[in-house]
Amino acid sequence: MSSHAVWTGNGHTILYAPYSYENVVGPEHFWNPNAVHAFFARHWSSSIYLALGYVAVINVLQRVMENRKPLSMRTVLLLWNGALAVFSMMGTWRFGLEFFHMLWTRPFTDSVCFSVDPTGPASFWACMFAFSKIAELGDTLFLVLRKRPVIFLHWYHHAVVLVYCWHSAVELTAAGRWFIWMNYFVHSIMYTYYAIVSTGIRLPKRLSMTVTALQTTQMLIGVMISVYVLYLKLNGAVCQQSFDNLAICFAIYASFLILFSKFFNTAYLVKKQQPKPAVKAD
């Protein structure tokens, strides 16, 4: 593996691959990496309570809405999905600069073993990614208020991703470089799609199929990277990812791969049987 640098702070040591951005934009100027890292180090477990509270609130709210009419939230949905789409595009661009520099200039192994610079813009977008998982819980709120079905995959995905991202933020997991960029990229497409659909425009089914296919591919890559990092660590490589985090990562991505594959198959591949016409009795 190539050379790396070491950052120490808040009782943690992080191995990272140095990268200097040509310019720093917007909020990247003002963030305090030490304070943000200290926050996650002290409070990452709060994400567990947030996730449990999220599930409880959704269940209660569904009962509240049982005898109420669904809300029409077209304008709010457009603004919500549009904002998340723009945020995801920014993350795709800014985080992607470091991500692709890593892939083009260093061995592949470095991209999964050495983290992003804990004090640089990429780390800012990694932390914003973790915080954004709280905001994305709002997706479920809109489903419930509009009395749309909330499937297991939906709420399970939101809950466990929140916990895993906050856990990973503590050690700034190196393999997270892949997970973060892939998620930013997929979400930039997904939320743009949702924003357009929220206006009432009907888009071809193949577009929603593409979004789900991208999500499923993301999960497959996550499983493959987890297995590869485990192989490296078992063979003596030094990688910026603890065995605990790696185990959680594999379990989550494997479950996502199964669930998204099943959803893709059910939603797009299995032909739904048409109900047989009722036979009129004589």
Side-chain angles (χ1 to χ4, degrees), residues 54-248:
Y54 154 75
V55 175
V57 168
I58 292 305
N59 276 275
V60 171
L61 196 55
Q62 283 181 313
R63 294 185 180 184
V64 171
M65 292 297 296
E66 279 182 355
N67 299 315
R68 298 173 184 267
K69 293 182 179 180
L71 301 181
S72 177
M73 310 180 73
R74 180 169 293 185
T75 301
V76 176
L77 279 172
L78 174 60
L79 295 174
W80 176 261
N81 290 313
L84 287 175
V86 172
F87 169 75
S88 298
M89 290 176 190
M90 285 293 296
T92 301
W93 166 43
R94 296 300 293 170
F95 194 85
L97 292 175
E98 194 276 349
F99 177 72
F100 285 105
H101 173 82
M102 193 73 175
L103 294 184
W104 292 334
T105 63
R106 298 173 70 108
F108 172 80
T109 301
D110 286 7
S111 71
V112 297
C113 281
F114 298 139
S115 185
V116 300
D117 183 345
T119 63
S123 185
F124 167 80
W125 286 101
C127 290
M128 291 304 100
F129 177 80
F131 282 125
S132 73
K133 298 309 163 186
I134 297 178
E136 289 176 8
L137 300 181
D139 294 346
T140 318
L141 176 64
F142 290 124
L143 286 178
V144 175
L145 293 178
R146 295 161 63 221
K147 300 191 74 170
R148 299 297 176 85
V150 180
I151 61 175
F152 172 76
L153 170 58
H154 177 91
W155 65 260
Y156 168 72
H157 175 263
H158 277 295
V160 299
V161 165
L162 169 61
V163 176
Y164 178 67
C165 286
W166 281 42
H167 185 272
S168 298
V170 178
E171 58 186 67
L172 206 56
T173 305
R177 172 185 285 107
W178 281 83
F179 310 148
I180 292 170
W181 188 83
M182 288 192 299
N183 198 254
Y184 268 137
F185 173 69
V186 172
H187 277 198
S188 66
I189 298 173
M190 183 185 77
Y191 281 113
T192 299
Y193 171 84
Y194 287 152
I196 295 173
V197 170
S198 68
T199 65
I201 297 175
R202 296 179 64 87
L203 296 175
K205 185 178 180 180
R206 66 180 58 184
L207 289 180
S208 62
M209 187 175 180
T210 299
V211 171
T212 306
L214 286 172
Q215 290 174 307
T216 307
T217 302
Q218 176 187 341
M219 306 314 164
L220 175 60
I221 294 175
V223 170
M224 294 171 64
I225 288 178
S226 299
V227 172
Y228 182 57
V229 172
L230 177 61
Y231 167 79
L232 291 173
K233 289 177 71 69
L234 291 178
N235 283 275
V238 178
C239 292
Q240 183 58 39
Q241 185 171 16
S242 66
F243 278 108
D244 287 345
N245 184 275
L246 184 57
I248 298 171

Side-chain angles (χ1 to χ4, degrees), residues 18-37:
Y19 171 70
S20 297
Y21 279 70
E22 292 184 1
N23 52 65
V24 179
V25 301
E28 297 169 0
H29 285 284
F30 309 111
W31 84 300
N32 184 328
N34 289 312
V36 174
H37 184 269

